[in-house]
Amino acid sequence: MFRTALRNVLAHKARLLMTVLAVMLGVAFVSGTLVFTNTISQAYEKSSAKGFDHVDVAVEPRSKADTGNTVGKRPELTQAQLDTSAKVPGAASAIGVVNGFTAIADQNGKLIGGGFRTEGGNYWGAKDPRYPLVEGHAPTGKDQVLIDAKTAERAGYEVGDTVRISVDGPVLTPTITGVFTTDDGNVAAGGSLALFDTATAQRLFGKPGTYDEIDVQAAPGTSQTALQAALERALPQDAVETTTGKQLADEQARMISAQMGGMQQALLVFAGIALFVGTFIIANTFTMLVAQRTRELALLRAVGASRRQVTRSVLIEAFVVGTVAGVAGLAAGIGIGAGMRSLMGAFDATVPDGPLVISPTTVVAALAVGVLVTMLAAWLPGRRAAKIPPVAAMSSVHAKATTKSLVLRNTLGALFAGAGVAVVLAATSMSADAAQAPMGLGAVLLIIGVFVLTPLLSRPLIAAAGPVLRAFGVSGKLARQNSVRNPRRTAATASALMIGLTLITGMTVMAGSLQTSIDKMATAAIRADYVVSMANGNELSPDVERTLRSTGGVTDVSPLRNAPSRIDGRTEYLTGVNGAAIGKLTDLKTDDGSFTVGGTRVVVDQDTAKDHGWRAGSGFTVHYEDGAAQKLTVAGVYEGNDMIRGIMLDTAALTPHQPAGSGDMQVMVKTTGGASDQAKDSLVKALGDNPAIKIQDKKDISNELAQIFTLMLNMLYGLLSMAVIVAVLGVVNTLAMSVFERAQEIGMLRAIGLDRSGIKRMVRLESLVISLFGGVLGIGLGVFFGWAAGELLGTKMPTYELVLPWGRMGLFLAGAALVGVVAALWPARRAARLNMLQAIKAE
């Protein structure tokens, strides 16, 4: 039986090619994901480990937990603590570290590296071991700066050039005195790093005479743990905490592994989808292969083979196919992993140098997935073939599905689909966090149920296309009959396409609805023409509000200033605003009381009011950062959203209790003529063409909020295209084998007068109908899942509303039709080229 199975594999190489390709694509996706994430993880881990080469022990200020009605402040490291660290036994040197946000503009005045990856720091002395200079010399004074080599290369800067830099105030124009290399992760990810001398960095970052961290290097012969113990004895333990370089490297590696783990799981989900789709194709292929070899298998049974041996021979064939596909998929996956790493540059995300990592786990996973998926898909057809009585098989009086089996299938399908719909509907009434697992379970049950019911659904849906197909004459009529002749085969082929389109349509519905909701949020909640903020989300200097207030054409200005406080024994963040102007700059619906901010009167969003049991007229005591307490009164309760929420009070009441120089998270601005290019240019010039400051109108805010969803959607489209490619292979495979199976019938059609173009048209129309059937099911399910997921989002986003992207759904349906046309090219050509006499004689 083993030799028979091998002979069958070799005898049907062409028929099994599509199966190998389907499995190979799924395996390639799995192995490529593992290669890519392992390579990136190891590269970042090695890079971050290098960053700790000059740190044996790091000393950091100890954070104090909030207790009672006081808000804890982060202690600072002093010069005295640095001096003490440098003198402890076993210490070779100690470096005081200062860092903060630093925006570098390119030669066109645009921000380099993105707001969250533009950092600044201090260069220690004349030769800092952390940052080897490749050219130039150390900076001295406020008019000199160093920049990293990658930033210099990207922006075209050289030593001696003047560069525009912003930290937390007016734009600086220092001279570049040198270029350095670094293993900093932000720079590796495409960011920038600027270094000043220590005194300048302390002044610019608002830390005169203090440090964020002290890095101590051990003398030869002193271990990290011994140095750590010495530092703990010498420094006050209530103010500082120490960590060895090894602990820092290990923690960094854990963080990188956790971050990459999320990406790996997401990519593997899509690999699983591709394999799930491929499983239908494999099962369909083996079902057809077994059906075509029924007489051969019956002969084996007649000469003494048992049912188990017949089933085992089919599984051996599947094992061989799965092994070949697994090896090919692994090779392709290694190429995909290398390609994905190269493509990171296209998204402005550079990766540290490092070798391609192909772990034993990746190899084992690729082969296991290829073999197991193929064997599982082939088991049911093999088992079904073994049950056919030999005499019936040889007489070709088998195979038609019995009424009992069809009733059982439809009953199971209806139960699964009904359960899936019920679970999804139940999940929409739960909280967003609790509903995730039930929603996923319901989606799986519904997809399985629809797949099981697809043969039943195929007849009425394909029959609906009858009037259109009649326009194509005999070819159209035959195409419709062929489509419904074997509903199970049609269902398996259409289901592969259905799953891909279900996911794509569902995500498109969600993305379109989110975009509309975000637009509504920005336009409904904000009356201001512009919102000004820092590119990295840090605080704006209070000078920004003062500058904008005195700018020509500006009518109203209000800051949004965040400050921690203690209320009822827990931390609550306050938002300081200009009480006289905030009502003109926002449009927040008030449910209870009035939107009045001034003196001790505040407004509170619904969620915060509910948490504390407040309503209009309620009073409460707030404990500010400086420890002072004040009695405040709730003037009104408003509907908050993701952009504006919390407790709003007048800055006149808040500012006296904040540290000197506290900044604003945002500043809202209203101008006389509304938003315009001229008004924006006026604001940009008033703020000194500062690359660190963003000036956005409502459309800019909406686009920025939606950008992450758009990026994710585009990535998901790319990933799901793998499932669509697998589905296309399935349609090609089914049609090709169907042509082979119907060779005699096609020969008869040719003999009675149907020409080659008519045969081609028949096969193409059959493919088109099957693909559109899968497209209609997929789009319908996608809309349902998009609606259900939107119901959950609506609990957290009051402006959410369902928007059906009719244009895109039309494109998806047209894409399904295109899949059908393209998939039929080769099978149609093959059918038309059949020799009619040989085809008539075929069995």
Side-chain angles (χ1 to χ4, degrees), residues 80 213 399 671 770:
E213 184 178 310
T671 58
I770 292 173

Side-chain angles (χ1 to χ4, degrees), residues 275-286:
L275 283 170
F276 188 54
V277 174
T279 302
F280 293 135
I281 297 169
I282 300 163
N284 198 23
T285 300
F286 273 93

Side-chain angles (χ1 to χ4, degrees), residues 823-842:
L825 291 177
W826 177 62
R829 185 168 177 268
R830 181 184 178 190
R833 294 180 66 181
L834 284 175
N835 183 294
M836 68 176 75
L837 294 179
Q838 291 180 355
I840 291 172
K841 291 189 297 180

Side-chain angles (χ1 to χ4, degrees), residues 101-105 164-172 534 690-693:
F101 171 67
T102 302
I104 305 177
R164 290 173 59 79
I165 289 179
S166 175
V167 177
D168 186 22
V171 174
L172 308 174
M534 288 287 281
N690 195 320
I693 296 178

Side-chain angles (χ1 to χ4, degrees), residues 662-744:
S662 294
D664 307 314
M665 295 306 297
Q666 295 177 336
V667 177
M668 291 184 170
V669 181
K670 198 168 183 62
T671 58
T672 50
S676 66
D677 292 340
Q678 184 179 357
K680 187 171 183 177
D681 289 342
S682 175
L683 298 180
V684 169
K685 289 177 182 176
L687 295 175
D689 255 344
N690 195 320
I693 296 178
K694 294 189 300 185
I695 301 175
Q696 298 173 296
D697 60 19
K698 285 182 275 194
K699 188 63 178 175
D700 294 331
I701 295 169
S702 176
N703 290 340
E704 183 179 65
L705 291 172
Q707 186 177 14
I708 185 169
F709 299 112
T710 303
L711 178 62
M712 287 176 62
L713 187 66
N714 290 336
M715 288 179 64
L716 294 176
Y717 280 159
L719 293 169
L720 286 172
S721 64
M722 184 71 73
V724 174
I725 291 172
V726 174
V728 172
L729 289 175
V731 178
V732 174
N733 202 19
T734 300
L735 289 173
M737 299 186 73
S738 178
V739 166
F740 177 85
E741 191 177 82
R742 303 199 319 256
Q744 189 178 58

Side-chain angles (χ1 to χ4, degrees), residues 325-365:
V327 172
L330 175 61
I334 292 171
I336 289 173
M340 289 174 72
R341 176 178 171 173
S342 300
L343 283 174
M344 292 284 282
F347 295 98
D348 296 325
T350 54
V351 179
D353 295 331
L356 202 65
V357 179
I358 306 167
S359 67
T361 304
T362 301
V363 176
V364 172

Side-chain angles (χ1 to χ4, degrees), residues 98 122-123 141 196-205 207-209 211:
V98 184
N122 66 312
Y123 190 83
F196 308 90
D197 69 81
T198 300
T200 301
Q202 289 175 323
R203 178 177 59 80
L204 290 175
F205 300 139
K207 302 161 186 174
Y211 303 93

